[in-house]
Every structure is written in structure tokens, then in C-alpha cells.
Amino acid sequence: MAVLLEYPSMRLIKYGYASAPPPIPYVPGFLAFREAPLLLKACLPVCGEADLLVVDGHGASHPRGLGIASHIGVVLDKPSIGVAKKRLAGGVVESGGEMLLVLHGQVVGVLLRVRGRSLYVSTGHRVSPRTAGRLVERMMRGGRLPEPTRIADMISHELVSRLRSSHCTRRSGEEQP
DNA sequence: GCGACAG
DNA sequence: ATCTTGTCGC
């Protein structure tokens, strides 16, 4: 699922999606091998108008410094940022009131605290760690996740729910007492 | 040996 | 991610 939002209003312009069985199982550190091909298909209708990609997952804060956020940015040749809900690699170092994500002695991202939860924001492609953090902060609208991720989650959940019930039950739109 | 391990 | 349990707010 990919959504195109206007910045800074964060209004939904349009979205794209694709569906297919997972090619391989999920293995930590290799998420892009499982999800990037389908995600790239979902991006086709919207990425041409996008100036920045916000990806659900890590970018440079990855065991080999190349998470799915970096992967997508490189393939689509767009600036990208990784926004993950859990730590994958590296550590957190406080510096000047900032929580920096450090990997192999390099600052690769920032840790944001949102509503008591952690958000691991990292460089994807052509965006510095601190700029990535600042941009994500400006895409927050009161939710636990930045608007691109939150809205994509919302729409994809609705799509899955509606598609599932219209495929496994009787005619869609019929009541179920 | 033990823990950690995006989605 | 998915699943289960518990808590809080409307």
C-alpha cells in the first residue's frame, strides 16, 4: 500500500496498492526481499508525484545499513525516510537533548518519543538522519505514527477487511444477522 | 551460553 | 505481522 499526501496539510491525494502471496517468509534483516517488489508495484500510481518517501521500516539503521526504506528510495530514485516501531540494529546515544541512532560509529537516525512510545526514524536515501527526524516530527498529527504511515495502515486495513468479506461470504452488501 | 531479531 | 489480555475513554 502506498499513499500520496500533500505537505504540510497531510491531506490524502490518492493511493495505490497491490496484492500477492508472500514470495518468501519474513526474516529479520531481509524484509525488503519479501515486501519491496509488491510495495514498488503499489507505488507505481503515486510515486511519480512524490517528493519524499516515508517507508514503514528501517533505512540505514539496519544490520548492513540498507533496510527497505533505503532500498525503495534507491529503486525509485527518490529521497526516502525509514520509520520503524521497533529497534533492529545499533544503539541509542543521547547528545544535546537528542536521542541518536548510532550504528558502526555512525549516526544513522534519531529516536523520537511519541505518546510514550518509541519511533525509530532513519536515513533512507538522500536524507540526513536529523532532517529525517525533523520531517517526521512535522508529519505527526496527534497519532502514534506520522500521517503517511497512519493513513496507509488505516486504508490497507479497510481494504483487506472489505475485500475479505466480499470474497468469502455471499453477495457483498448483504446483511449478516 | 544467552539474548535480540523492521514487518 | 498475528494473537490475547487488560485498561481507558466515550
Side-chain angles (χ1 to χ4, degrees):
Chain A
M1 149 73 54
V3 295
L4 178 67
L5 306 189
E6 179 186 73
Y7 180 88
S9 71
M10 294 293 100
R11 277 195 50 179
L12 177 67
I13 304 302
K14 60 176 165 179
Y15 65 82
Y17 66 91
S19 177
I24 58 172
Y26 166 66
V27 179
F30 297 89
L31 179 66
F33 289 80
R34 173 182 166 92
E35 305 204 346
L38 201 58
L39 180 53
L40 287 168
K41 280 188 181 180
C43 286
L44 288 180
V46 305
C47 68
E49 303 165 55
D51 300 307
L52 172 70
L53 309 175
V54 179
V55 180
D56 187 358
H58 288 276
S61 47
H62 173 275
R64 291 167 296 284
L66 263 168
I68 191 170
S70 311
H71 187 115
I72 295 295
V74 169
V75 173
L76 295 179
D77 192 26
K78 298 274 189 179
S80 69
I81 293 173
V83 180
K85 297 175 285 295
K86 297 176 181 176
R87 189 193 71 89
L88 176 61
V92 181
V93 174
E94 184 178 348
S95 172
E98 283 182 309
M99 305 288 266
L100 304 176
L101 303 183
V102 178
L103 178 67
H104 303 151
Q106 294 287 309
V107 176
V108 294
V110 297
L111 172 62
L112 301 183
R113 295 288 296 185
V114 181
R115 297 173 59 177
R117 310 270 311 207
S118 294
L119 220 47
Y120 298 81
V121 180
S122 61
T123 289
H125 188 51
R126 300 180 192 166
V127 182
S128 73
R130 286 181 178 81
T131 296
R134 182 179 61 81
L135 286 170
V136 168
E137 283 179 331
R138 296 182 62 165
M139 295 182 204
M140 302 298 300
R141 292 295 185 277
R144 185 169 76 81
L145 297 170
E147 289 300 283
T149 314
R150 191 183 69 79
I151 292 174
D153 276 355
M154 187 175 293
I155 295 176
S156 63
H157 292 157
E158 174 60 29
L159 281 174
V160 168
S161 170
R162 183 165 10 125
L163 197 57
R164 185 165 52 91
S165 71
S166 75
H167 186 283
C168 296
T169 66
R170 297 149 190 169
R171 292 159 297 193
S172 59
E174 188 170 325
E175 302 175 23
Q176 285 296 323

